[in-house]
Amino acid sequence: MGKDDRKTVTVADLARGLVKMAPDVPGIVKHAPGLILRSPKMKKTIGHIFQNLAKAHPDRPFVRFEGATTTYGEANSLVNRYAAVLTENGVGRGDVVAILSKNCPTDLYVILATVKLGATAGMMNYNQLGEVAEHSLSLLKAKVLVYDPECADVYHSVSPASLPPRAFDFTALDVAADGKPDTDPAITKELPAATDAFFIFTSGTTGLPKASVMSHNRWLANFSGIGGLGVRLHHNDTMYVALPLYHNNALSVSLGSVLAGGACIAIGRKFSASRFWDDVILNRATAFCYIGELCRYLAAQPPKDTDRKHSVRLIVGNGMRPDIWDEFAERFGIDRIVEFYGASELNIAFINAFSVDKTAGFCPLPYVIVDYNDDGSPKRDAKGRLTKVGKGGTGLLLAQISDRVPLDGYTDAKETEKKVIRDAFKDGDAYFNSGDLVHDQGFSHVSFVDRLGDTFRWKGENVATTEVEGAVDLVEEVEQAVAYGVAIPGTDGKAGMVAVKLRDGQSLDPVKLAAHLYEALPSYAIPLFVRIVDELESTSTFKTRKVELRNEAYGETGTDPVFVLSGRATGYVPFYDGYAADVAAAKVPRG
């Protein structure tokens, strides 16, 4: 752990933060009750907030895309027409609409139309193809699938039997919406906050995606806590979002912040490090959302005049590395870095409301940081209880589950129960296991350290090791594979590495292996390192061996051959000194 990771938050840090908050006090006062006094029974939802803003400020900019602006009033009318189409197709309260789309305004409008009806938006990850996409659809049990024509390859990779009863693309949706009434659906203002809003897919230890549930009530915690108290946008701000809208940073944090301030959201079609600031300037953005990798790629770009020609004053996201925090803020002229920590399935979040450097922020909700075992489970003492690590310590983050802070969990109750820790400190208590290591910085602040268990984060996505192992195992020369994440200096998260035992007498074709993995896995899940080993320990001690492999990473592999991913065209090549630096500089892998 680096020196910056051990930062302690001081009274002086909080005092400076309070001074910075002073101009935003009216907004903070407005939103504070929403964090403290929320009730699942209150009739307040995303759609209701959006349509009230549209009624109050119809001419205010709501969406910008490639320089073009749509107002709140125009967007609400279109959303209502889409809602009418969904209603005609049998969508009502409690139903699910599967949404498969690249970033564009229509994606957002379909999401809003869905939640206005009391239905749930099932946010498909367009990187998933074939069987994985079919698995996701099976979890959603959607009544309708609406998809972007640019995602036709995903749509056609799914067997017709796996599709919902009705499916149509954006073109057909627009044709059907023409002439439909643009009045607000009557049900929107009657929906309780307990209604499910989104299903967000996250990788799990099963190796297949799990759908975590985001209720309107929990989204409202983002709206008030992260948006109202942390980000604090004004109505003339524009938040630029280049992350996919199926990502919680975009859908919950960014959209919540925009609606909390009555501001504008600028949707980037996709992230491009070389064109990022050009698009920010084109869309007149004053803020943007990030994941750590996005910031690292921007910092790796050669200096350009656009580095300071933009109007961005604050950024919000997670994964900003302490070692580039100051450099990034100085180079690009960022006044506030609103780092936060959360997860799709987690019932609490941390937000850097006090503008303290190098922290994931503050959380007013109940949590504990505890000692843990090598396999990522919380460590129990002789009495079967957990042990808190205390200020300055590093441990496993657990979020308390209570009536005040309920757990939405996953669509699968059994999967949810696997993450619940019961009888932690006393009989009958319950905590949700985040699976993450954090450092206790004091004053209810933490910094993120690492992810435990059978998943790791790379490129802002959770990667399930068993999914990677399953793809590698399909190569006929491979007898067994073990996947894990390894740290690369100067990067965020963990890069994929796989240890492979070959069948007797077989050799590995590294170019053929890469071609197969590019077809079988999303780009972020393709391992960067392949280690050829003579033996892998039996299943009974498998977890222990995986810990050892992870610790050895790519630098302590003895005489085992190691290959590294060069790119789509060149495949895997023998490990060379400087490869890790090339990854950190975004030079490899190519394609």
Side-chain angles (χ1 to χ4, degrees):
M1 186 183 303
K3 181 179 178 181
D4 288 329
D5 293 322
R6 296 191 295 269
K7 175 184 176 66
T8 299
V9 175
T10 66
V11 172
D13 289 325
L14 300 183
R16 285 191 293 269
L18 287 170
V19 171
K20 217 162 197 176
M21 293 169 100
D24 301 323
V25 166
I28 293 172
V29 171
K30 172 186 173 183
H31 285 286
L35 185 64
I36 301 167
L37 303 175
R38 280 182 304 116
S39 166
K41 296 179 181 179
M42 65 181 178
K43 292 181 179 179
K44 186 176 183 181
T45 59
I46 301 162
H48 198 202
I49 291 168
F50 168 65
Q51 70 185 30
N52 284 348
L53 282 167
K55 182 178 180 180
H57 309 286
D59 298 324
R60 185 179 288 177
F62 174 54
V63 174
R64 287 204 181 97
F65 182 66
E66 298 180 340
T69 301
T70 303
T71 67
Y72 271 86
E74 292 167 339
N76 190 49
S77 293
L78 182 55
V79 166
N80 289 340
R81 290 195 293 272
Y82 284 169
V85 175
L86 293 176
T87 300
E88 286 184 352
N89 281 271
V91 174
R93 182 174 176 179
D95 292 324
V96 178
V97 176
I99 302 172
L100 173 64
S101 178
K102 300 286 182 71
N103 271 19
C104 65
T106 304
D107 187 11
L108 178 59
Y109 300 150
V110 175
I111 293 166
L112 290 171
T114 300
V115 300
K116 272 198 170 198
L117 297 173
T120 307
M123 303 305 299
M124 300 284 291
N125 182 334
Y126 53 73
N127 291 293
Q128 298 171 351
L129 294 164
E131 291 182 0
V132 179
E134 289 179 5
H135 171 79
S136 295
L137 283 170
S138 73
L139 294 178
L140 293 179
K141 299 179 175 61
K143 184 165 283 189
V144 172
L145 167 65
V146 183
Y147 68 95
D148 182 348
E150 292 196 13
C151 296
D153 58 333
V154 181
Y155 174 77
H156 291 298
S157 76
V158 174
S159 67
S162 299
L163 291 171
R166 305 198 177 196
F168 41 88
D169 66 14
F170 288 170
T171 303
L173 175 65
D174 282 327
V175 170
D178 187 37
K180 290 290 186 294
D182 62 0
T183 51
D184 294 324
I187 193 173
T188 306
K189 62 184 180 181
E190 301 300 325
L191 295 169
T195 307
D196 289 341
F198 311 125
F199 290 149
I200 306 288
F201 283 98
T202 179
S203 296
T205 55
T206 61
L208 289 170
K210 291 185 288 188
S212 63
V213 184
M214 173 69 75
S215 65
H216 288 268
N217 192 37
R218 191 154 71 91
W219 185 92
L220 287 166
N222 282 296
F223 171 79
S224 298
I226 294 181
L229 303 184
V231 179
R232 309 192 295 269
L233 292 181
H234 305 149
H235 71 83
N236 56 351
D237 276 316
T238 296
M239 170 78 77
Y240 179 71
V241 181
L243 298 174
L245 288 176
Y246 65 71
H247 199 291
N248 241 335
N249 285 32
L251 195 56
S252 296
V253 173
S254 299
L255 180 61
S257 297
V258 165
L259 294 181
C264 179
I265 183 169
I267 300 173
R269 188 179 293 275
K270 64 179 180 179
F271 171 69
S272 167
S274 61
R275 296 191 299 273
F276 182 86
W277 293 112
D278 296 319
D279 208 28
V280 162
I281 292 166
L282 174 66
N283 288 290
R284 290 168 278 168
T286 56
F288 69 79
C289 72
Y290 68 86
I291 55 173
E293 287 292 303
L294 184 152
C295 295
R296 188 175 65 79
Y297 286 141
L298 292 178
Q301 287 288 300
K304 293 189 291 188
D305 59 354
T306 50
D307 288 355
R308 284 289 190 119
K309 280 192 172 180
H310 56 83
S311 301
V312 172
R313 62 185 180 85
L314 71 90
I315 60 177
V316 57
N318 59 338
M320 175 72 79
R321 291 179 58 83
D323 56 347
I324 73 163
W325 187 296
D326 293 336
E327 174 193 344
F328 192 91
E330 172 60 29
R331 174 177 169 180
F332 298 112
I334 308 300
D335 182 52
R336 292 180 58 222
I337 297 177
V338 189
E339 177 83 359
F340 75 91
Y341 166 84
S344 300
E345 63 274 32
L346 196 62
N347 58 334
I348 65 169
F350 291 77
I351 180 71
N352 189 16
F354 295 96
S355 304
V356 180
D357 290 341
K358 301 165 188 172
T359 178
F362 163 84
C363 179
L365 300 174
Y367 68 90
V368 292
I369 304 172
V370 301
D371 200 3
Y372 61 98
N373 299 306
D374 282 346
D375 65 359
S377 63
K379 184 181 289 185
R380 294 188 182 266
D381 60 20
K383 296 180 180 179
R385 303 302 191 194
L386 308 187
T387 303
K388 298 179 184 179
V389 300
K391 182 179 177 180
T394 296
L396 182 64
L397 176 68
L398 306 179
Q400 188 173 10
I401 302 167
S402 65
D403 291 339
R404 179 188 171 206
V405 191
L407 178 67
D408 291 336
Y410 303 108
T411 53
D412 186 332
K414 291 181 180 178
E415 291 294 336
T416 301
E417 187 59 31
K418 289 178 183 177
K419 299 293 290 286
V420 176
I421 307 300
R422 300 193 182 278
D423 305 324
F425 301 97
K426 62 182 181 180
D427 291 345
D429 64 8
Y431 289 81
F432 186 80
N433 184 357
S434 72
D436 289 336
L437 288 182
V438 299
H439 176 69
D440 187 339
Q441 297 176 303
F443 290 103
S444 297
H445 283 67
V446 303
S447 61
F448 176 77
V449 176
D450 202 359
R451 186 165 185 84
L452 293 171
D454 287 330
T455 63
F456 57 92
R457 286 183 73 80
W458 184 245
K459 307 288 189 188
E461 299 280 355
N462 286 346
V463 180
T465 56
T466 46
E467 182 181 353
V468 177
E469 290 160 2
V472 178
D473 283 341
L474 291 175
V475 177
E476 63 180 71
E477 294 86 358
V478 173
E479 180 175 304
Q480 187 182 357
V482 177
Y484 43 96
V486 295
I488 296 179
T491 68
D492 304 291
K494 297 288 184 70
M497 183 166 184
V498 61
V500 172
K501 181 183 185 303
L502 299 176
R503 300 184 188 279
D504 289 343
Q506 298 291 321
S507 60
L508 192 68
D509 183 335
V511 176
K512 178 182 171 185
L513 173 65
H516 163 70
L517 294 181
Y518 270 104
E519 290 296 320
L521 294 169
S523 58
Y524 57 79
I526 300 172
L528 299 194
F529 302 90
V530 177
R531 174 181 178 179
I532 309 300
V533 298
D534 292 329
E535 293 292 338
L536 287 169
E537 290 188 16
S538 63
T539 306
S540 62
T541 57
F542 189 67
K543 287 186 178 178
T544 303
R545 179 56 181 154
K546 183 177 275 193
V547 170
E548 293 171 8
L549 288 167
R550 189 163 51 228
N551 291 341
E552 291 165 357
Y554 52 87
E556 299 179 18
T557 57
T559 58
D560 292 345
V562 176
F563 294 87
V564 292
L565 186 62
S566 174
R568 185 183 289 270
T570 49
Y572 287 95
V573 300
F575 179 87
Y576 59 90
D577 290 339
Y579 178 76
D582 285 350
V583 172
K587 295 179 180 178
V588 289
R590 301 182 185 89

